[in-house]
Amino acid sequence: MLKSIMEDARNIVKKDPAARSVIEVLLLYPCIHALIWHRMAHCLYRNRWFFLARLFSQTARFLTGIEIHPGAKIGRRLLIDHGMGVVIGETATVGDDCVIYHGVTLGGVSTLEKKRHPDIGNNVIIGAGAKVLGPIKVRDNSKIGSNAVVLHEVPEGATAVGIPAKILVKKKKDDPNLKVYYYNYI
């Protein structure tokens, strides 16, 4: 676990220009604290210690303002920048090398006991205030704009913006030598 904590801290220093050192990140960044608490809670959750797992996650929420359900699966090197108000639901998965800004919700749209939260791929950026709702997939290398409300799948490499979110994809003009890309709504 110490190895993954150090990996997360180095990643934050690399991606956040305001972070000056690994020590600063380890001591002062709520993102790293929330991830540490989540790893402990997730281990308890997997071993069916549900009450203790929720106690850990609620303690982390109180201390950091970041709520990650102990059942959520979080990949490596997640950066939750200015994390206040981030909520990640029970059946959500977040891939490796993602960036999530403050106020983001990875939420459900059902109360049934089934998959009800989104799956976020690798290298995804989710802008401040975005809401990604339901058992949908946000594919690798995608971007979600600030305050977008995403209710449908986001293809690989696409950008989702607006309420409800519209998907933008890069499409090349007919000339294969032309390097300009045009965004088209899907």
Side-chain angles (χ1 to χ4, degrees):
M1 186 163 139
L2 186 59
K3 182 179 173 183
S4 66
I5 292 168
M6 290 305 293
E7 180 181 43
D8 287 335
R10 285 189 201 101
N11 179 59
I12 292 169
V13 170
K14 178 180 165 188
K15 288 184 177 176
D16 185 352
R20 307 258 186 263
S21 69
V22 170
I23 295 298
E24 178 185 16
V25 168
L26 289 171
L27 294 176
L28 303 175
Y29 273 56
C31 168
I32 200 82
H33 301 153
L35 291 173
I36 291 167
W37 281 96
H38 173 71
R39 287 199 183 98
M40 293 185 294
H42 188 65
C43 181
L44 291 167
Y45 189 85
R46 281 192 332 251
N47 288 298
R48 306 186 60 78
W49 289 76
F50 300 121
F51 179 81
L52 199 52
R54 286 299 299 221
L55 181 62
F56 274 46
S57 72
Q58 291 303 300
T59 301
R61 177 182 176 224
F62 176 77
L63 295 172
T64 66
I66 299 169
E67 182 176 347
I68 306 173
H69 191 284
K73 295 177 182 146
I74 306 295
R76 297 171 56 195
R77 296 176 301 277
L78 173 63
L79 168 58
I80 303 174
D81 198 13
H82 300 284
M84 186 61 74
V86 168
V87 177
I88 300 176
E90 179 182 20
T91 61
T93 61
V94 178
D96 298 336
D97 300 305
C98 292
V99 178
I100 297 175
Y101 289 93
H102 62 280
V104 167
T105 299
L106 304 180
V109 292
S110 169
T111 57
L112 300 176
E113 289 194 29
K114 61 178 185 172
K115 175 72 173 156
R116 57 190 189 281
H117 298 94
D119 292 324
I120 308 299
N122 298 321
N123 199 35
V124 172
I125 298 172
I126 305 177
K131 309 303 178 215
V132 185
L133 305 174
I136 62 173
K137 293 187 185 308
V138 177
R139 304 285 182 183
D140 296 349
N141 306 305
S142 298
K143 294 178 181 151
I144 308 294
S146 293
N147 294 316
V149 177
V150 182
L151 303 171
H152 301 286
E153 181 173 320
V154 179
E156 184 169 349
T159 301
V161 295
I163 303 171
K166 294 192 176 7
I167 307 301
L168 304 175
V169 292
K170 293 180 181 178
K171 292 202 174 186
K172 291 184 184 178
K173 201 169 178 181
D174 294 351
D175 183 1
N177 297 324
L178 191 61
K179 300 293 184 199
V180 177
Y181 291 92
Y182 292 90
Y183 281 102
N184 292 331
Y185 286 105
I186 293 182

